[in-house]
Amino acid sequence: MTLAAGQREQVYRGLLRRNRGVSLLRLIVPLAGTAIFLLLAAEIYLSSLAGRFGIGQIKVSLENVSIDAPEYAGVMSDGSTYRVTAQGAVANIAHTDIIDMTDAALTVLRKSGTTLEINAAAAQLDTTKRQVIIAGLANVEDSTGTVSRFYNSVFDWSAQTLDSQGPVAVDYADGTKIIAKTMKYDTQAGVWTFSGSTVTLPSTPGAKKP
């Protein structure tokens, strides 16, 4: 098929526009990847001003940043230290301060020497609010022997509190058991506050031990 001169001109211009578009994309895509990486690096740097942010391998897409073996650590106002680790994490490019973690663990070492360990299959790390949010089940254990199970919990390391708005079950080392609707734990004062709670004691107060 033979094209007229005007048609050949239109085809030529169309190919020219296409080639310019491809050349532009070849330039934009690497620049976008570089910008995303720089954004993440800036976020990590800003977070590191208040704590320590360690990462493994980084994978960047147009929407998300995947991080292998992330770690975030810092010091509380009373001198206690905390460390947040996970098997993996994903941050949305638009909100890199919110990190979704899998197999997450939070460890708090208080100045007194006691430790608090919180583990969850999934959690969120908010580096701006300085919180760890666990919507599902959190298993908690401290070095005094207390073992707990919480739902819908938020650990705020600025306020040094663990706030659970879901069902709570606590087993103390002395055999005391508490089941409650909600709970708040002040890690600095070591005070547990429960609502809608049922307490089971290993023995009646004042009774003689057999």
PDB file of all heavy atoms in Angstrom, residues 53-70:
ATOM      1  N   PHE A  53      17.961   3.580  63.414  1.00  0.00           N
ATOM      2  CA  PHE A  53      17.176   2.869  62.417  1.00  0.00           C
ATOM      3  C   PHE A  53      18.118   1.986  61.605  1.00  0.00           C
ATOM      4  O   PHE A  53      18.957   2.487  60.866  1.00  0.00           O
ATOM      5  CB  PHE A  53      16.476   3.875  61.484  1.00  0.00           C
ATOM      6  CG  PHE A  53      15.224   3.341  60.858  1.00  0.00           C
ATOM      7  CD1 PHE A  53      14.258   4.219  60.403  1.00  0.00           C
ATOM      8  CD2 PHE A  53      14.993   1.983  60.718  1.00  0.00           C
ATOM      9  CE1 PHE A  53      13.089   3.757  59.823  1.00  0.00           C
ATOM     10  CE2 PHE A  53      13.846   1.503  60.139  1.00  0.00           C
ATOM     11  CZ  PHE A  53      12.893   2.393  59.689  1.00  0.00           C
ATOM     12  N   GLY A  54      17.991   0.662  61.768  1.00  0.00           N
ATOM     13  CA  GLY A  54      18.817  -0.258  60.996  1.00  0.00           C
ATOM     14  C   GLY A  54      17.952  -1.002  59.994  1.00  0.00           C
ATOM     15  O   GLY A  54      16.797  -1.305  60.267  1.00  0.00           O
ATOM     16  N   ILE A  55      18.492  -1.293  58.819  1.00  0.00           N
ATOM     17  CA  ILE A  55      17.733  -1.966  57.775  1.00  0.00           C
ATOM     18  C   ILE A  55      18.599  -2.994  57.091  1.00  0.00           C
ATOM     19  O   ILE A  55      19.814  -2.927  57.120  1.00  0.00           O
ATOM     20  CB  ILE A  55      17.196  -0.973  56.721  1.00  0.00           C
ATOM     21  CG1 ILE A  55      18.345  -0.149  56.127  1.00  0.00           C
ATOM     22  CG2 ILE A  55      16.140  -0.068  57.312  1.00  0.00           C
ATOM     23  CD1 ILE A  55      17.939   0.776  55.022  1.00  0.00           C
ATOM     24  N   GLY A  56      17.924  -3.966  56.460  1.00  0.00           N
ATOM     25  CA  GLY A  56      18.624  -4.937  55.637  1.00  0.00           C
ATOM     26  C   GLY A  56      18.491  -4.526  54.191  1.00  0.00           C
ATOM     27  O   GLY A  56      18.749  -3.385  53.821  1.00  0.00           O
ATOM     28  N   GLN A  57      18.033  -5.438  53.352  1.00  0.00           N
ATOM     29  CA  GLN A  57      17.875  -5.158  51.932  1.00  0.00           C
ATOM     30  C   GLN A  57      16.636  -4.303  51.684  1.00  0.00           C
ATOM     31  O   GLN A  57      15.600  -4.486  52.306  1.00  0.00           O
ATOM     32  CB  GLN A  57      17.758  -6.473  51.163  1.00  0.00           C
ATOM     33  CG  GLN A  57      17.684  -6.301  49.646  1.00  0.00           C
ATOM     34  CD  GLN A  57      17.594  -7.631  48.935  1.00  0.00           C
ATOM     35  OE1 GLN A  57      17.552  -8.673  49.568  1.00  0.00           O
ATOM     36  NE2 GLN A  57      17.554  -7.601  47.621  1.00  0.00           N
ATOM     37  N   ILE A  58      16.737  -3.335  50.762  1.00  0.00           N
ATOM     38  CA  ILE A  58      15.619  -2.461  50.400  1.00  0.00           C
ATOM     39  C   ILE A  58      15.181  -2.758  48.973  1.00  0.00           C
ATOM     40  O   ILE A  58      16.014  -2.892  48.078  1.00  0.00           O
ATOM     41  CB  ILE A  58      16.017  -0.973  50.503  1.00  0.00           C
ATOM     42  CG1 ILE A  58      16.426  -0.628  51.937  1.00  0.00           C
ATOM     43  CG2 ILE A  58      14.875  -0.081  50.066  1.00  0.00           C
ATOM     44  CD1 ILE A  58      16.878   0.803  52.099  1.00  0.00           C
ATOM     45  N   LYS A  59      13.858  -2.873  48.783  1.00  0.00           N
ATOM     46  CA  LYS A  59      13.286  -3.036  47.450  1.00  0.00           C
ATOM     47  C   LYS A  59      12.294  -1.904  47.221  1.00  0.00           C
ATOM     48  O   LYS A  59      11.387  -1.700  48.029  1.00  0.00           O
ATOM     49  CB  LYS A  59      12.582  -4.390  47.318  1.00  0.00           C
ATOM     50  CG  LYS A  59      13.516  -5.581  47.503  1.00  0.00           C
ATOM     51  CD  LYS A  59      12.747  -6.893  47.441  1.00  0.00           C
ATOM     52  CE  LYS A  59      13.674  -8.078  47.693  1.00  0.00           C
ATOM     53  NZ  LYS A  59      12.922  -9.359  47.689  1.00  0.00           N
ATOM     54  N   VAL A  60      12.468  -1.154  46.155  1.00  0.00           N
ATOM     55  CA  VAL A  60      11.656   0.034  45.891  1.00  0.00           C
ATOM     56  C   VAL A  60      10.799  -0.188  44.656  1.00  0.00           C
ATOM     57  O   VAL A  60      11.301  -0.601  43.612  1.00  0.00           O
ATOM     58  CB  VAL A  60      12.544   1.275  45.689  1.00  0.00           C
ATOM     59  CG1 VAL A  60      11.684   2.511  45.430  1.00  0.00           C
ATOM     60  CG2 VAL A  60      13.444   1.494  46.896  1.00  0.00           C
ATOM     61  N   SER A  61       9.486   0.072  44.765  1.00  0.00           N
ATOM     62  CA  SER A  61       8.581   0.084  43.630  1.00  0.00           C
ATOM     63  C   SER A  61       7.981   1.484  43.539  1.00  0.00           C
ATOM     64  O   SER A  61       8.317   2.370  44.325  1.00  0.00           O
ATOM     65  CB  SER A  61       7.479  -0.972  43.800  1.00  0.00           C
ATOM     66  OG  SER A  61       6.610  -0.612  44.857  1.00  0.00           O
ATOM     67  N   LEU A  62       7.076   1.692  42.580  1.00  0.00           N
ATOM     68  CA  LEU A  62       6.474   3.010  42.433  1.00  0.00           C
ATOM     69  C   LEU A  62       5.536   3.351  43.591  1.00  0.00           C
ATOM     70  O   LEU A  62       5.206   4.512  43.797  1.00  0.00           O
ATOM     71  CB  LEU A  62       5.703   3.078  41.107  1.00  0.00           C
ATOM     72  CG  LEU A  62       6.573   3.029  39.842  1.00  0.00           C
ATOM     73  CD1 LEU A  62       5.691   3.073  38.599  1.00  0.00           C
ATOM     74  CD2 LEU A  62       7.570   4.174  39.821  1.00  0.00           C
ATOM     75  N   GLU A  63       5.074   2.332  44.357  1.00  0.00           N
ATOM     76  CA  GLU A  63       4.121   2.577  45.440  1.00  0.00           C
ATOM     77  C   GLU A  63       4.688   2.274  46.817  1.00  0.00           C
ATOM     78  O   GLU A  63       4.358   2.957  47.784  1.00  0.00           O
ATOM     79  CB  GLU A  63       2.859   1.740  45.221  1.00  0.00           C
ATOM     80  CG  GLU A  63       2.071   2.118  43.971  1.00  0.00           C
ATOM     81  CD  GLU A  63       0.817   1.285  43.818  1.00  0.00           C
ATOM     82  OE1 GLU A  63       0.624   0.349  44.621  1.00  0.00           O
ATOM     83  OE2 GLU A  63       0.027   1.571  42.903  1.00  0.00           O
ATOM     84  N   ASN A  64       5.516   1.237  46.931  1.00  0.00           N
ATOM     85  CA  ASN A  64       5.957   0.778  48.239  1.00  0.00           C
ATOM     86  C   ASN A  64       7.476   0.644  48.331  1.00  0.00           C
ATOM     87  O   ASN A  64       8.172   0.538  47.318  1.00  0.00           O
ATOM     88  CB  ASN A  64       5.333  -0.589  48.570  1.00  0.00           C
ATOM     89  CG  ASN A  64       3.828  -0.523  48.641  1.00  0.00           C
ATOM     90  OD1 ASN A  64       3.268   0.408  49.188  1.00  0.00           O
ATOM     91  ND2 ASN A  64       3.165  -1.523  48.081  1.00  0.00           N
ATOM     92  N   VAL A  65       7.940   0.646  49.570  1.00  0.00           N
ATOM     93  CA  VAL A  65       9.330   0.330  49.879  1.00  0.00           C
ATOM     94  C   VAL A  65       9.330  -0.861  50.825  1.00  0.00           C
ATOM     95  O   VAL A  65       8.717  -0.811  51.895  1.00  0.00           O
ATOM     96  CB  VAL A  65      10.045   1.519  50.543  1.00  0.00           C
ATOM     97  CG1 VAL A  65      11.472   1.139  50.920  1.00  0.00           C
ATOM     98  CG2 VAL A  65      10.050   2.729  49.628  1.00  0.00           C
ATOM     99  N   SER A  66       9.958  -1.965  50.414  1.00  0.00           N
ATOM    100  CA  SER A  66      10.041  -3.162  51.247  1.00  0.00           C
ATOM    101  C   SER A  66      11.404  -3.206  51.924  1.00  0.00           C
ATOM    102  O   SER A  66      12.431  -2.951  51.289  1.00  0.00           O
ATOM    103  CB  SER A  66       9.834  -4.423  50.395  1.00  0.00           C
ATOM    104  OG  SER A  66       8.559  -4.409  49.781  1.00  0.00           O
ATOM    105  N   ILE A  67      11.397  -3.536  53.202  1.00  0.00           N
ATOM    106  CA  ILE A  67      12.622  -3.547  53.991  1.00  0.00           C
ATOM    107  C   ILE A  67      12.765  -4.896  54.667  1.00  0.00           C
ATOM    108  O   ILE A  67      11.830  -5.377  55.317  1.00  0.00           O
ATOM    109  CB  ILE A  67      12.601  -2.437  55.063  1.00  0.00           C
ATOM    110  CG1 ILE A  67      12.336  -1.071  54.427  1.00  0.00           C
ATOM    111  CG2 ILE A  67      13.927  -2.412  55.825  1.00  0.00           C
ATOM    112  CD1 ILE A  67      12.063   0.020  55.430  1.00  0.00           C
ATOM    113  N   ASP A  68      13.909  -5.538  54.505  1.00  0.00           N
ATOM    114  CA  ASP A  68      14.192  -6.795  55.193  1.00  0.00           C
ATOM    115  C   ASP A  68      14.864  -6.514  56.533  1.00  0.00           C
ATOM    116  O   ASP A  68      15.767  -5.688  56.620  1.00  0.00           O
ATOM    117  CB  ASP A  68      15.103  -7.676  54.344  1.00  0.00           C
ATOM    118  CG  ASP A  68      14.404  -8.189  53.096  1.00  0.00           C
ATOM    119  OD1 ASP A  68      13.164  -8.199  53.081  1.00  0.00           O
ATOM    120  OD2 ASP A  68      15.099  -8.564  52.133  1.00  0.00           O
ATOM    121  N   ALA A  69      14.406  -7.222  57.561  1.00  0.00           N
ATOM    122  CA  ALA A  69      15.005  -7.159  58.901  1.00  0.00           C
ATOM    123  C   ALA A  69      15.193  -5.732  59.408  1.00  0.00           C
ATOM    124  O   ALA A  69      16.303  -5.327  59.760  1.00  0.00           O
ATOM    125  CB  ALA A  69      16.336  -7.892  58.909  1.00  0.00           C
ATOM    126  N   PRO A  70      14.113  -4.933  59.472  1.00  0.00           N
ATOM    127  CA  PRO A  70      14.264  -3.571  60.009  1.00  0.00           C
ATOM    128  C   PRO A  70      14.468  -3.585  61.522  1.00  0.00           C
ATOM    129  O   PRO A  70      14.027  -4.501  62.220  1.00  0.00           O
ATOM    130  CB  PRO A  70      12.925  -2.921  59.645  1.00  0.00           C
ATOM    131  CG  PRO A  70      11.954  -4.058  59.645  1.00  0.00           C
ATOM    132  CD  PRO A  70      12.719  -5.236  59.113  1.00  0.00           C
TER     133      PRO A  70
END
